């Protein structure tokens, strides 16, 4: 912004000089023609000056009413200075305005060229702007839908539930009604207290590849199941037979049975994972989690065979809405891991509790612990901290991947804390939307069971 201020001396000095000149002229006229003539001339000059000021004030007033670069009035003296400064100010602000418009236009063109759909919405999901890709993806039009609610225009139930749900930590994958053959991912990014950007991406191709991979793994696992059952059956009948195999062959037979069991568990886990990935959302059963945790504890005790102290704390009667089989499998995997990775004599504690309106299932052990660099990768398929030890304990490397998928389907979250040599805590958080606080009655109980 240029400095437009007019220094006071630029106005006062010329005025004083003019008045002095007028006084001198009047003094001269009074001496030559008399006082009346001098007064008349002075009055005439002052009236003329007043009229000039009024004229320029009027010109300034009408220019301010409709400012235009070419219509700025001219003037003389101080007025010339004032008008020149106004002209400069108006020209600079006009340049700034055009630059702003150019920048905004360029920004919009850049966003329009992106391969993703971008929609700008306000707090009530009213469309403020969107690019052509978003128009194609969701079947909307900026021209006709500007200012309308996105949730009224796009009636996909999944989309409506997601954008009004308020939890934007995960993207939504859905088939839009406008293009049922496509699969879209949708992200909501709040960026001002009252505004959000919605990003849509066409993931049809990658979803297709993913589905092919899932089907392939599921089919292979399924095809392997039958021959493996036959092999296991023959191995068992060999083992049970009275044939004199000798100690070496008996040992080989034993190893073959162990490996066949491992393969069987691997196939079952792979099938479970592909079911979790491809099946429709969980059916909503009312699950008495306290009861479920006791069942899981019994399973852990069977595996431990008295080698560990297994404690069960049921601190809340809360029930959960979800799939019992899936939660049983997830909680079971955590409890079995705790037993497997805790040396004999250690403690495993299973806890079902509530905290800050959410339900939590915690498995804490005094086992070998996990180094911090491994923790973010534990839920990847076949990720193992120590390959040898995991196989030795009968692990498939898929347990925590199953836990992750089950929790995804229940809007839950897994938290892992661990210290090498001191033990681990695996905490499953289930949101309030999946809990039934009243279902189990008002009483809570705490059970303490020794190992074995
Ligand atoms: P696995 O079948 O090999 O146990 P998981 O997916 O269940 O596979 O676990 C992945 C890895 O996480 C394990 O190989 C193990 O190294 C580590 N792990 C899981 N639970 C525990 C635990 N309670 N204590 C220490 N390490 C654990």
């Amino acid at each position: 912004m240029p400095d437009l201020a007019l220094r006071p001396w630029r106005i006062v000095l010329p005025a004083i000089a003019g008045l002095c000149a007028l006084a001198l002229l009047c003094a001269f006229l009074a001496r030559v023609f008399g006082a009346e003539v001098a007064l008349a001339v002075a009055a005439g000059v002052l009236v003329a000056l007043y009229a000039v000021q009024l004229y320029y004030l009027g010109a300034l007033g009408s220019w301010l009413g409709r400012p235009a670069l070419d219509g700025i009035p001219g003037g003389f003296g101080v007025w010339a200075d004032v008008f020149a400064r106004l002209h400069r100010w108006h020209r600079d602000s006009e340049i700034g305005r055009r630059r702003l418009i150019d920048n905004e236009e360029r920004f919009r063109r850049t966003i329009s060229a992106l391969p993703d759909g971008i929609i700008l919405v306000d707090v009530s999901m009213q469309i403020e702007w969107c690019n052509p890709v978003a128009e194609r993806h969701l079947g909307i039009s900026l021209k006709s839908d500007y200012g309308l609610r996105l949730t009224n225009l796009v009636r996909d139930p999944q989309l409506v539930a997601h954008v009004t749900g308020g939890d934007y930590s995960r993207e939504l994958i859905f088939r839009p009604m406008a293009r049922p053959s496509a699969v879209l991912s949708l992200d909501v990014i709040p960026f001002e207290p009252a505004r959000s950007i919605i990003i849509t991406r066409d993931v049809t191709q990658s979803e297709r590849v993913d589905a092919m991979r899932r089907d392939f793994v599921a089919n292979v696992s399924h095809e392997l199941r039958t021959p493996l059952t036959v092999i296991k059956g023959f191995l068992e009948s060999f083992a049970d037979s009275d044939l004199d195999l000798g100690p070496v062959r008996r040992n080989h037979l034993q190893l073959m049975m162990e490996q066949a069991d491992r393969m069987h568990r691997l196939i079952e886990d792979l099938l479970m994972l592909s079911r979790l990935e491809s099946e429709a959302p969980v059916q909503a059963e009312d699950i008495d989690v306290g009861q479920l945790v006791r069942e899981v504890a019994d399973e852990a005790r069977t595996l431990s065979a008295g080698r560990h102290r297994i404690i069960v704390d049921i601190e809340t009667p809360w029930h959960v809405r979800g799939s019992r089989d899936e939660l049983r499998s997830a909680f079971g995997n955590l409890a079995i891991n705790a037993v497997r990775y805790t040396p004999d004599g250690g403690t495993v504690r299973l806890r079902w509790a509530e905290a800050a309106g959410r339900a939590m299932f915690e498995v804490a052990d005094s086992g070998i612990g996990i180094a911090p660099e491994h923790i973010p990768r534990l839920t990847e398929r076949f990720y193992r901290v120590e390959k040898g030890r995991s196989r030795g304990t009968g692990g498939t490397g898929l347990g925590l991947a199953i836990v992750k998928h089950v929790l995804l389907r229940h809007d839950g979250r897994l938290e892992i804390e661990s210290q090498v040599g001191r033990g681990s805590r695996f905490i499953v958080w289930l949101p309030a939307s999946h809990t039934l606080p009243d279902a189990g009655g008002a009483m809570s109980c705490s059970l303490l069971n020794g190992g074995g």
Side-chain angles (χ1 to χ4, degrees):
M1 180 85 182
D3 181 13
L4 295 171
L6 208 56
R7 306 277 172 269
W9 57 264
R10 301 227 23 191
I11 303 170
V12 175
L13 281 188
I16 291 174
L19 286 176
C20 289
L22 181 61
L24 282 175
L25 177 69
C26 287
F28 170 72
L29 290 176
R31 183 168 282 215
V32 178
F33 302 108
E36 287 84 1
V37 173
L39 269 177
V41 168
V45 169
L46 285 176
V47 167
L49 266 178
Y50 185 63
V52 167
Q53 303 307 316
L54 277 185
Y55 169 76
Y56 283 125
L57 268 178
L60 177 63
S62 63
W63 182 81
L64 285 176
R66 197 179 294 189
L69 259 189
D70 44 3
I72 202 148
F76 81 93
V78 174
W79 282 106
D81 212 11
V82 168
F83 289 135
R85 279 159 196 263
L86 274 178
H87 184 269
R88 195 153 18 107
W89 167 75
H90 192 57
R91 187 199 57 202
D92 288 351
S93 54
E94 200 46 25
I95 291 171
R97 200 173 64 88
R98 275 197 206 128
R99 200 172 292 151
L100 217 66
I101 291 173
D102 282 355
N103 280 350
E104 193 184 332
E105 190 48 37
R106 195 172 317 135
F107 178 68
R108 284 188 181 203
R109 277 205 305 272
T110 311
I111 293 193
S112 294
L114 287 178
D116 296 339
I118 314 271
I119 310 166
L120 199 67
V121 288
D122 69 8
V123 71
S124 54
M125 286 292 148
Q126 285 177 340
I127 299 174
E128 293 189 342
W129 185 82
C130 70
N131 67 356
V133 182
E135 292 183 324
R136 265 201 317 280
H137 280 171
L138 298 181
I140 54 176
S141 150
L142 181 59
K143 235 186 207 165
S144 52
D145 299 332
Y146 172 81
L148 299 181
R149 274 173 204 242
L150 181 68
T151 41
N152 288 348
L153 294 166
V154 185
R155 292 180 170 272
D156 293 78
Q158 276 180 290
L159 180 142
V160 173
H162 186 73
V163 297
T164 52
D167 176 10
Y168 305 132
S169 52
R170 283 191 214 128
E171 63 182 6
L172 168 74
I173 306 283
F174 73 113
R175 283 185 186 278
M177 280 180 173
R179 288 168 65 215
S181 59
V183 182
L184 294 184
S185 81
L186 183 141
D187 261 311
V188 183
I189 306 166
F191 74 101
E192 270 178 15
R195 277 215 175 83
S196 301
I197 296 179
I198 296 181
I199 301 179
T200 57
R201 195 167 298 138
D202 191 333
V203 292
T204 314
Q205 198 53 28
S206 60
E207 279 293 305
R208 201 168 290 153
V209 172
D210 231 33
M212 276 165 60
R213 174 192 60 77
R214 276 199 304 267
D215 288 351
F216 176 75
V217 173
N219 289 339
V220 169
S221 310
H222 199 75
E223 291 300 322
L224 284 174
R225 208 189 211 173
T226 318
L228 187 64
T229 311
V230 175
I231 292 170
K232 268 183 64 164
F234 281 126
L235 288 175
E236 273 160 21
S237 68
F238 261 130
D240 293 343
S241 71
D242 302 332
L243 283 174
D244 181 18
L245 296 171
V248 177
R249 287 213 178 96
R250 274 262 160 231
N251 188 30
H252 288 172
L253 187 60
Q254 185 59 34
L255 282 175
M256 283 158 75
M257 283 173 60
E258 278 171 23
Q259 291 306 314
D261 274 342
R262 209 170 88 74
M263 236 166 120
H264 176 74
R265 281 198 303 276
L266 198 61
I267 287 171
E268 291 305 318
D269 279 358
L270 281 171
L271 284 171
M272 170 90 182
L273 261 179
S274 56
R275 265 201 310 276
L276 290 173
E277 279 185 323
S278 55
E279 265 178 18
V282 283
Q283 78 279 48
E285 296 170 69
D286 175 345
I287 308 162
D288 178 352
V289 182
Q291 175 59 30
L292 188 141
V293 171
R294 284 186 205 104
E295 283 173 28
V296 167
D298 287 343
E299 193 184 343
R301 281 191 199 104
T302 308
L303 182 70
S304 160
R307 293 174 294 124
H308 307 88
R309 210 164 85 90
I310 296 179
I311 301 168
V312 183
D313 276 334
I314 311 292
E315 295 172 13
T316 176
W318 279 13
H319 285 202
V320 158
R321 207 195 315 261
S323 157
R324 190 175 202 284
D325 285 350
E326 290 181 15
L327 285 181
R328 171 85 174 71
S329 169
F331 290 8
N333 278 335
L334 293 176
I336 282 170
N337 274 352
V339 171
R340 286 206 317 236
Y341 297 106
T342 299
D344 294 358
T347 305
V348 172
R349 182 172 179 232
L350 311 184
R351 185 167 162 244
W352 173 239
E354 67 189 80
R358 292 180 301 165
M360 63 177 279
F361 171 64
E362 181 191 51
V363 179
D365 65 56
S366 59
I368 58 170
I370 308 157
E373 67 269 23
H374 296 295
I375 290 180
R377 300 195 58 191
L378 288 183
T379 54
E380 289 174 20
R381 281 154 212 235
F382 299 114
Y383 187 84
R384 291 160 166 131
V385 176
E386 278 180 73
K387 286 202 165 31
R389 185 193 285 262
S390 164
R391 290 212 182 95
T393 59
T396 61
L398 295 171
L400 292 181
I402 290 175
V403 173
K404 180 180 106 175
H405 276 86
V406 169
L407 296 188
L408 268 177
R409 287 162 62 81
H410 288 79
D411 301 322
R413 201 164 56 80
L414 179 67
E415 210 175 280
I416 306 172
E417 292 168 14
S418 192
Q419 263 184 303
V420 174
R422 307 200 54 175
S424 312
R425 277 175 78 208
F426 287 73
I427 305 170
V428 168
W429 289 102
L430 292 170
S433 55
H434 278 264
T435 53
L436 300 163
D438 299 330
M443 219 178 69
S444 77
C445 59
S446 176
L447 304 176
L448 186 92
N449 296 331

